[in-house]
Amino acid sequence: MKHRPQRLHSLLLSLGSEILGKIKDPAVNNGLGNEIISFTDVKVSKDLRNANFFVSIMATPERQKEILEGLKHSAGYFHRELRQAMSTSNIPNVSFILDNTMEKAAHLISLINKVNKDLPALTTDEETAEDAPEQQDEQ
């Protein structure tokens, strides 16, 4: 019985991605196709009654809010689709939480790249000069 939450997690993540593609709410799918929306994780409560879907939305902050509100508005549809697809009697209540992990990672990478660009590069002569005392000490 202790593997049930893990199986439910995998099933919800898989089904959730399928259902996400079916949502017709214009706030979620406005037909522009320039946003990337995906579920990064789902956390199921210990009693299996609630499932928090973490959603990554690659869009402007305004559009992220709009899409998240559209997903919240579509929670009933999402729940009905899960009920039809799952063979369990208890379907968890669904909620959506914005996951900014990808944006934070991209920001950190850009900061690291900026720092690396700003650091003076060591030239071959400088590296040789720094290594020379070590080589002399070894002899």
Side-chain angles (χ1 to χ4, degrees):
M1 193 67 152
K2 71 179 191 179
H3 295 291
R4 186 164 184 225
Q6 294 167 344
R7 287 194 318 262
L8 185 59
H9 172 271
S10 297
L11 181 62
L12 286 173
L13 207 49
S14 175
L15 289 173
S17 295
E18 289 178 28
I19 296 167
L20 181 60
K22 296 178 186 178
I23 293 177
K24 296 196 179 4
D25 187 325
V28 176
N29 182 3
N30 67 2
L32 295 177
N34 57 354
E35 296 98 359
I36 299 172
I37 306 168
S38 62
F39 293 125
T40 56
D41 198 7
V42 61
K43 299 286 185 195
V44 182
S45 64
K46 289 183 182 181
D47 62 5
L48 307 178
R49 292 184 182 182
N50 298 298
N52 292 324
F53 283 84
F54 291 85
V55 60
S56 174
I57 305 169
M58 301 306 253
T60 64
E62 298 81 25
R63 185 73 179 114
Q64 285 179 345
K65 284 182 185 179
E66 184 179 334
I67 291 170
L68 191 60
E69 287 302 315
L71 284 171
K72 289 177 181 179
H73 184 261
S74 300
Y77 168 79
F78 207 91
H79 189 266
R80 282 190 303 278
E81 288 291 311
L82 285 175
R83 181 174 298 285
Q84 289 178 359
M86 294 175 68
S87 60
T88 182
S89 58
N90 295 326
I91 306 300
N93 294 318
V94 175
S95 61
F96 302 98
I97 300 169
L98 185 61
D99 182 358
N100 288 327
T101 304
M102 298 297 272
E103 288 178 355
K104 290 177 183 177
H107 179 69
L108 285 174
I109 289 170
S110 71
L111 289 175
I112 290 168
N113 289 337
K114 184 177 186 293
V115 168
N116 284 337
K117 189 187 294 184
D118 292 344
L119 287 175
L122 291 175
T123 64
T124 309
D125 293 338
E126 289 174 338
E127 289 174 352
T128 306
E130 289 176 2
D131 291 340
E134 291 177 11
Q135 291 173 356
Q136 290 174 356
D137 291 340
E138 291 174 5
Q139 293 176 0

